[in-house]
Amino acid sequence: MSLTIKTVGRGRRVAAGSLIAVAALALTACQDGTGAASRPSSAAASATQQESGSGAKPTAAKQPSSAGAARPSAHAAASASGKASGGGHAAESHASAMTASDRCTAANMSLRLGASDIGAGNIHYPLVFTNKGKKACTLRGFPGVSLILRDGSPVGKPATREGGPGGLVRLQPGQSAHAVLHTVNEGVSDTPCWAGSQIVYVYPPGSKESMTTGSRGLRVCGGRFDVTAVEAGALG
């Protein structure tokens, strides 16, 4: 009898052990299933992170791209600056072809206002530049001309340019070139005349140095005061 009970007890223990083992296996399977289910989530999270990361990477890539875009802009600015600078140098070089030792300057010229030429209501005055230096020099373009009083007070406005820019005029020592000042007779226009002037204040073409000469009482009327580009020869 006791043998039977012991056997039954052992059978129950084996059965209980088997149930525990089955339950453990089921639990392990559930845990494995949960782990497997969680892995895609982790992979998705990873993918999201990678997408975010890859999104960040293009953004980071865009940053160098933007920096690269900025560089061409900076380069373009530098190039533009270089062009402007180069243009400036080119202009200076071009000017130096006429403005350095080759250009006639205020220091190596004399200036005078020739006699008036009156006709058909117009008055013309030759403004004569003479090379008083020891070597040839050149002039080209328009002089800047104003009328002033002896105390330096301006009379009216600077002369406006009339006609084309003219060609290059080469002056050997002692030779002259001239520009022509133009106004009209009093009464030709209803615009009142300016006050009488005493001095003609002149910047030779391409020069920043001024020259002066007596104005011969030049009086601008009709609001008309023009100057032409320089030409070879002296008038008046």
Side-chain angles (χ1 to χ4, degrees), residues 135-157:
K135 59 182 180 179
C137 62
T138 57
L139 284 175
R140 182 176 185 174
F142 296 88
V145 182
S146 298
L147 301 176
I148 62 174
L149 299 177
R150 285 193 181 89
D151 64 2
S153 303
V155 177
K157 298 178 181 178

Side-chain angles (χ1 to χ4, degrees), residues 6 18 30 49 56 86 91 106 135 143 155 200 214 216:
K6 285 180 184 178
S18 299
C30 289
Q49 287 173 359
K135 59 182 180 179
V155 177
V200 184
R216 291 176 171 258

Side-chain angles (χ1 to χ4, degrees), residues 119-143:
N122 293 287
I123 307 174
H124 297 89
Y125 292 86
L127 187 63
V128 183
F129 300 89
T130 301
N131 180 4
K132 66 177 186 179
K134 295 181 180 180
K135 59 182 180 179
C137 62
T138 57
L139 284 175
R140 182 176 185 174
F142 296 88

Side-chain angles (χ1 to χ4, degrees), residues 91-106 108 137-140 168 204-209:
E92 287 169 9
S93 298
H94 178 66
S96 50
M98 295 185 346
T99 62
S101 58
D102 187 50
R103 181 179 62 80
C104 299
T105 64
N108 61 18
C137 62
T138 57
L139 284 175
R140 182 176 185 174
L168 190 69
S207 178
K208 294 182 179 179
E209 297 174 353

